[in-house]
Amino acid sequence: MSARRLLSLIHGAIGSLLALFIILVGGTGAALAFMSEMFMAEHGQILRVETVKSEPYADVDRLVAGAKAGLDGKLIPVGVFMPHTRIEHAETAIVFGLPEGSADFDELRMVSVDPWSGVYKGDFRLHDAFGYALVHFHHQLFAEDVGTAFVSALGLLLVAFALTGVWLWWPRGGSAWRKAWPPDVRGGARRAWFRLHGWVGVWVGLLIMLFSLTGTGAASPDWFGPLLSELYEAPANAGFERVCDGGQVTPGQAARETETRWPGRRLASLYFPFEAGKPYRMAFSAPGDLNTLDGDFVVFAHTTCSDVLYGTDMGRGSLSDRASAIMLSLHGGYPLGFLGDILVIITGIALVLLSGSGVYVFFTRTLRFGARTQTRRSSENVSDTGLRAEG
């Protein structure tokens, strides 16, 4: 068996085995180009404001206080998203947290507050939102850590499929450019789907590799070792082991101290520490940032020592810093705006088409061709044996 024939069988067999999962991940990925629209369609009445004012927004402490007041003080805040960040079209700030007495993150509440007055506008349970359910499924197929690992591995396999598919498609003679033009689909269904499968794979191969690698990098950055930086843990030598007796530093104070020390940026998101002794984590954005969701500037702030801040501009750091900063944003196509949405949709639809056509081609053409070749070779061997016997 030639190397090309063996690779074709492996490409088709593994692709057929995983086709359903590729269709699910690719299809939900295409749908998530409209994630913000989904949230606005379902909860737009509480994610919009009556009058849009100019910035600056209210202090973070005021936003958190407004969210707590809306739930009668029975909210343990986990974080804050400022307007037009994670939910791109949301005009309000979103304070998210757990109901008092609950440690179950399935009960996480998204509390919408006016970003200028801090007045409570409404809330919803995150796990009840269709947009979030789609993100959750796309990210881990509702299988938690095992699902995340599986989808991450699937992303790497899609890169391998794209590379091997282009190699198998590449003509052994003649012009590749001529073959890349719309294929002749005459000559029966098997021939037509085979040619269409290769043509779509070649034209969308780079996009498949881009979105697959960035998806795996965003979901499982530790798989890439030193190629990606740690975004969510403060450095061990940044002074957060200090103990201060000056009282609690509020998130608003931490944000103001950051803006004083590093002016010219605005707060995009803030996360409260999950454990005692851990710092606040904040992201600040500015025009031109690689990370168009949260911004490139990541700051960790001590919860009791107001002077202990550690900030790093991921967009101007090392290559691994820059790659980490842009990974999730690029996976969603956000840096390219409307064009990014179009590319995400095209890639998702292409994955669905390639999976379906690949299964059809494998079972109706690849295996059949292999069986026909084997039969022909067996017949030739029998004939050779007969001739030798007669001789």
Side-chain angles (χ1 to χ4, degrees):
M1 183 181 292
S2 68
R4 191 182 189 92
R5 173 65 185 158
L6 178 61
L7 188 59
S8 177
L9 284 171
I10 294 173
H11 179 92
I14 298 177
S16 297
L17 183 65
L18 297 174
L20 176 61
F21 299 104
I22 296 172
I23 289 171
L24 292 173
V25 172
T28 53
L32 284 173
F34 304 100
M35 183 193 71
S36 181
E37 287 80 1
M38 292 177 193
F39 273 97
M40 297 305 291
E42 191 172 6
H43 299 290
Q45 70 277 9
I46 64 172
L47 295 176
R48 294 188 178 93
V49 295
E50 290 74 20
T51 304
V52 177
K53 305 174 185 177
S54 60
E55 295 187 34
Y57 296 124
D59 182 87
V60 174
D61 292 335
R62 188 174 180 182
L63 301 179
V64 173
K68 286 184 174 181
L71 295 183
D72 298 323
K74 299 178 179 179
L75 178 73
I76 303 172
V78 172
V80 180
F81 291 146
M82 299 303 288
H84 306 293
T85 53
R86 286 304 180 95
I87 301 177
E88 187 178 8
H89 300 309
E91 298 170 349
T92 61
I94 299 174
V95 179
F96 51 100
L98 294 171
E100 195 173 81
S102 174
D104 183 359
F105 273 81
D106 285 349
E107 298 301 320
L108 194 72
R109 308 296 301 184
M110 309 296 283
V111 187
S112 175
V113 294
D114 186 293
W116 292 280
S117 66
V119 172
Y120 168 82
K121 294 187 63 63
D123 66 276
F124 59 92
R125 181 174 172 267
L126 180 60
H127 280 67
D128 291 336
F130 179 74
Y132 173 77
L134 208 60
V135 171
H136 194 197
F137 185 80
H138 178 75
H139 176 65
Q140 54 187 214
L141 301 176
F142 295 150
E144 306 307 327
D145 292 343
V146 173
T148 299
F150 178 82
V151 173
S152 298
L154 188 63
L156 298 181
L157 281 171
L158 284 172
V159 174
F161 285 143
L163 291 172
T164 56
V166 170
W167 189 81
L168 290 168
W169 173 91
W170 202 266
R172 283 170 284 185
S175 169
W177 180 246
R178 178 175 295 178
K179 189 177 180 180
W181 286 102
D184 181 1
V185 294
R186 294 172 295 179
R190 286 197 301 270
R191 187 183 185 91
W193 279 112
F194 172 72
R195 289 185 169 182
L196 187 62
H197 179 86
W199 182 78
V200 171
V202 164
W203 278 104
V204 190
L206 285 176
L207 289 176
I208 290 173
M209 288 190 284
L210 170 67
F211 290 118
S212 297
L213 278 175
T214 54
T216 299
S220 302
D222 52 307
W223 286 19
F224 294 84
L227 296 177
L228 293 178
S229 300
E230 176 57 65
L231 293 176
Y232 301 104
E233 293 291 336
N237 59 349
F240 292 103
E241 70 283 354
R242 277 178 52 189
V243 178
C244 298
D245 56 5
Q248 181 73 22
V249 175
T250 68
Q253 289 171 335
R256 288 194 299 274
E257 184 66 29
T258 299
E259 291 167 349
T260 299
R261 189 176 300 188
W262 294 288
R265 291 182 171 273
R266 67 182 183 90
L267 180 67
S269 64
L270 181 146
Y271 295 88
F272 287 73
F274 286 109
E275 303 173 27
K278 296 291 186 179
Y280 297 111
R281 180 187 180 275
M282 297 175 286
F284 289 78
S285 64
D289 279 358
L290 297 175
N291 184 346
T292 55
L293 287 173
D294 286 336
D296 291 348
F297 201 68
V298 178
V299 177
F300 295 95
H302 205 296
T303 56
T304 59
C305 305
S306 60
D307 62 325
V308 179
L309 295 170
Y310 178 87
T312 179
D313 190 343
M314 305 293 289
R316 290 181 172 81
S318 64
L319 182 60
S320 62
D321 285 345
R322 294 196 295 273
S324 300
I326 201 172
M327 199 62 60
L328 181 59
S329 185
L330 190 58
H331 181 64
Y334 296 107
L336 300 177
F338 179 70
L339 176 60
D341 291 338
I342 297 298
L343 295 180
V344 168
I345 294 168
I346 289 173
T347 305
I349 293 174
L351 285 173
V352 173
L353 177 61
L354 288 169
S355 299
S357 62
V359 170
Y360 179 81
V361 167
F362 179 69
F363 283 102
T364 64
R365 191 179 192 279
T366 305
L367 290 180
R368 185 170 179 173
F369 177 79
R372 191 166 59 241
T373 302
Q374 186 61 38
T375 300
R376 186 175 66 248
R377 288 176 177 172
S378 298
S379 299
E380 291 172 352
N381 289 337
V382 169
S383 298
D384 289 344
T385 301
L387 288 172
R388 285 195 298 272
E390 291 175 3

